[in-house]
Amino acid sequence: MNSLSDPFEATENERLAQIYTAAAELFCEKGFDGTSMSAVAEMVGITKAGIYHFIPGGKKDLLFAIMSYGLDRLDTHVITPAHAIPDAEERLRSIINNHVRLITSGSKTGGHNPVTIVVEEVGGLSPTHRRKIDQRKRVYVELIRDTLKQLKQDGKLQAVDETVAAFSLLGIILWISRWYDPDGRLSAEQVADEIMKLALGSLLRPQTQQAHH
Amino acid sequence: MNSLSDPFEATENERLAQIYTAAAELFCEKGFDGTSMSAVAEMVGITKAGIYHFIPGGKKDLLFAIMSYGLDRLDTHVITPAHAIPDAEERLRSIINNHVRLITSGSKTGGHNPVTIVVEEVGGLSPTHRRKIDQRKRVYVELIRDTLKQLKQDGKLQAVDETVAAFSLLGIILWISRWYDPDGRLSAEQVADEIMKLALGSLLRPQTQQAHH
DNA sequence: GTAGCCTGACCAACCGGTCAGTAGTGTGGT
DNA sequence: ACCACACTACTGACCGGTTGGTCAGGCTAC
């Protein structure tokens, strides 16, 4: 997707990784329009002109790169593992668990992570970039919806609309970053367990629910 | 709350109502920082200086007024009716139903409504205004959580954490405005029904669930 | 020497906000 | 009937400051 592979964790191109990390943090904190290039530069420790030496495309390309990275993380940690699971119920459990942990673990590393930025700030993208981002998001939604449809074919799904159920599940998960406090009463594991209980409780038919360890 | 009562529906002070409506639409569309005063003025049909004749407090006060109006709508359509219902299960049904309909009906009137703006853009407020908005939001969360606690005392609640459940319910509802299409396959009533099914399915214990007409 | 990294000075455009002034409208006095 | 006054609604010009972005050149390191 990006010309550079995983810029956030690169050991070479250290400056580039610093820029992406700083921009991601500031975009999450103050929003895309509320963050200036000078602010990003200051956090990295160089001049604004220095930023444009590494990011020739400017601010919009920065946003696109960060969103792409967030979706890359979703791909590797949630979507790809899910594709390897044939059983629908097991796949749904995997999706919920991995996505919740992706968000809660991200908020532990000093605030916000690039995974949550993808949701908002789509307006700051160029039409071409926006189409790419939107399509990747749609792929994820369809993964969830297809899993629910398969669950229905297996006779395990309650009498609910799959589309509404898929979006509701997404709403629960994406909302976590707004209220979860890693130093609070509940650990990330507890939150993941509770979300799992809630989601499966409303989706699976009672007789098919079974305890999981 | 505001020095002017319900500026969005006032027949007098027509210009003021126009300004609030235009600003709410633009803030939802492009974000607070992404919207300029000139843009608001242009949509209303007057000059930027003309805006400051009606909104002496400037941009921040505009945002605060719009958020307050959104919370006013939540108060009158969701919170106040809920307080009148002593039974916890019935009260929960009322909250879900009214809040979902408030959001779906709002998106029918030409895009976004001020109810959804309250969630984001809190960073644009002054500390004093932010405290007021945050406190009103907290009141609503506690209404839901208290209702769940009472449900637990009644023995109707499944074995779930009330806080996580309350936030998850909020996540489902607030996320609706991001995907609901009033011209789409599902009507507002159908969406409300589906959400109700999903939410109650994960919260109420099976033996206590009963069909509602 | 030359290639990559980075700076300081600079640019037009735009930001939120101010202000003097004006057109129109109604009011009161005579 | 007429004028003087006041008030509201609004404009156009303008302010200092900041924005995203550029560019010529300097400083290393190989």
Side-chain angles (χ1 to χ4, degrees):
Chain A
M1 243 15 84
N2 206 348
S3 61
L4 294 115
S5 59
D6 211 344
F8 287 79
E9 297 171 8
T11 54
E12 293 177 3
N13 269 322
E14 196 176 335
R15 265 282 135 80
L16 194 54
Q18 285 177 6
I19 293 172
Y20 280 127
T21 307
E25 191 173 330
L26 288 172
F27 286 172
C28 286
E29 215 169 286
K30 310 201 182 201
F32 177 68
D33 289 306
T35 304
S36 68
M37 285 287 135
S38 324
V40 177
E42 192 186 4
M43 176 166 283
V44 176
I46 58 176
T47 321
K48 182 176 60 170
I51 298 272
Y52 283 87
H53 174 69
F54 293 96
I55 317 277
K59 204 183 182 188
K60 292 184 176 185
D61 275 23
L62 233 188
L63 178 63
F64 178 66
I66 292 172
M67 285 190 173
S68 297
Y69 173 71
L71 286 169
D72 287 346
R73 298 246 303 169
L74 190 73
D75 266 334
T76 60
H77 289 94
V78 181
I79 298 179
T80 302
H83 277 307
I85 301 173
D87 180 62
E89 181 180 343
E90 209 62 43
R91 194 191 315 140
L92 184 64
R93 288 179 192 275
S94 164
I95 291 172
I96 297 172
N97 196 39
N98 286 333
H99 198 167
V100 171
R101 278 162 201 272
L102 185 62
I103 288 178
T104 52
S105 72
S107 67
K108 212 184 297 182
T109 66
H112 306 83
N113 67 5
V115 182
T116 59
I117 230 189
V118 186
V119 173
E120 357 264 340
E121 313 290 7
V122 280
L125 293 167
S126 69
T128 310
H129 283 168
R130 183 178 175 148
R131 269 201 5 254
K132 289 184 183 176
I133 297 290
D134 280 347
Q135 206 224 327
R136 291 184 74 180
K137 289 201 278 188
R138 203 165 50 241
V139 165
Y140 182 50
V141 174
E142 299 230 340
L143 168 66
I144 296 179
R145 190 158 45 190
D146 287 349
T147 300
L148 292 181
K149 282 180 183 171
Q150 188 182 333
L151 218 50
K152 189 182 214 174
Q153 286 178 354
D154 295 349
K156 290 181 179 176
L157 192 69
Q158 297 219 31
V160 294
D161 183 85
E162 301 100 15
T163 303
V164 177
F167 281 123
S168 296
L169 179 56
L170 226 47
I172 294 177
I173 295 173
L174 294 172
W175 186 246
I176 294 173
S177 61
R178 302 289 186 110
W179 57 266
Y180 175 66
D181 174 18
D183 301 324
R185 176 173 58 90
L186 295 165
S187 69
E189 284 73 21
Q190 285 175 299
V191 171
D193 285 349
E194 288 293 327
I195 301 286
M196 188 87 80
K197 254 195 294 183
L198 285 167
L200 296 182
S202 62
L203 295 175
L204 299 184
R205 290 171 59 184
Q207 56 268 32
T208 66
Q209 286 186 56
Q210 47 196 349
H212 260 250
H213 43 83
Chain B
M1 246 17 85
N2 207 347
S3 62
L4 294 115
S5 59
D6 212 344
F8 287 79
E9 296 170 9
T11 54
E12 292 178 3
N13 270 322
E14 195 176 335
R15 266 280 135 81
L16 195 54
Q18 286 178 7
I19 293 172
Y20 280 127
T21 307
E25 193 173 329
L26 288 172
F27 286 173
C28 286
E29 216 170 285
K30 309 202 183 201
F32 178 67
D33 289 308
T35 304
S36 68
M37 284 288 137
S38 323
V40 177
E42 191 185 5
M43 175 166 282
V44 177
I46 57 175
T47 322
K48 182 176 61 171
I51 298 275
Y52 284 87
H53 173 70
F54 294 96
I55 318 277
K59 205 184 182 188
K60 293 184 177 185
D61 274 23
L62 233 189
L63 178 63
F64 179 66
I66 292 172
M67 285 190 173
S68 296
Y69 174 70
L71 286 169
D72 286 346
R73 298 247 301 169
L74 190 73
D75 265 334
T76 60
H77 290 93
V78 181
I79 297 179
T80 301
H83 277 307
I85 302 173
D87 180 62
E89 181 180 344
E90 209 63 43
R91 194 191 314 141
L92 183 64
R93 288 180 191 274
S94 163
I95 291 172
I96 297 172
N97 196 39
N98 286 332
H99 198 167
V100 171
R101 278 160 200 272
L102 185 62
I103 288 178
T104 52
S105 73
S107 67
K108 212 183 299 181
T109 66
H112 306 83
N113 66 5
V115 181
T116 59
I117 231 189
V118 185
V119 174
E120 357 264 340
E121 313 291 6
V122 281
L125 293 166
S126 70
T128 310
H129 284 168
R130 184 179 174 145
R131 267 198 10 251
K132 289 185 183 176
I133 297 291
D134 279 346
Q135 207 224 327
R136 290 184 73 179
K137 290 201 280 188
R138 203 164 50 241
V139 165
Y140 182 50
V141 174
E142 298 230 340
L143 167 66
I144 296 179
R145 190 158 44 191
D146 286 349
T147 300
L148 292 181
K149 281 181 184 171
Q150 185 181 335
L151 218 50
K152 188 183 214 173
Q153 287 177 354
D154 296 349
K156 290 181 179 177
L157 192 69
Q158 295 220 31
V160 293
D161 184 87
E162 300 101 14
T163 304
V164 177
F167 281 124
S168 296
L169 179 57
L170 226 48
I172 294 177
I173 295 173
L174 294 172
W175 187 246
I176 294 173
S177 61
R178 301 288 185 110
W179 58 266
Y180 175 67
D181 174 18
D183 301 324
R185 176 173 58 91
L186 295 165
S187 70
E189 284 73 21
Q190 286 175 296
V191 170
D193 285 349
E194 289 291 328
I195 301 285
M196 188 87 81
K197 255 195 294 184
L198 285 167
L200 297 182
S202 61
L203 295 176
L204 298 185
R205 289 171 59 184
Q207 56 268 30
T208 64
Q209 286 186 56
Q210 47 197 348
H212 261 250
H213 42 83

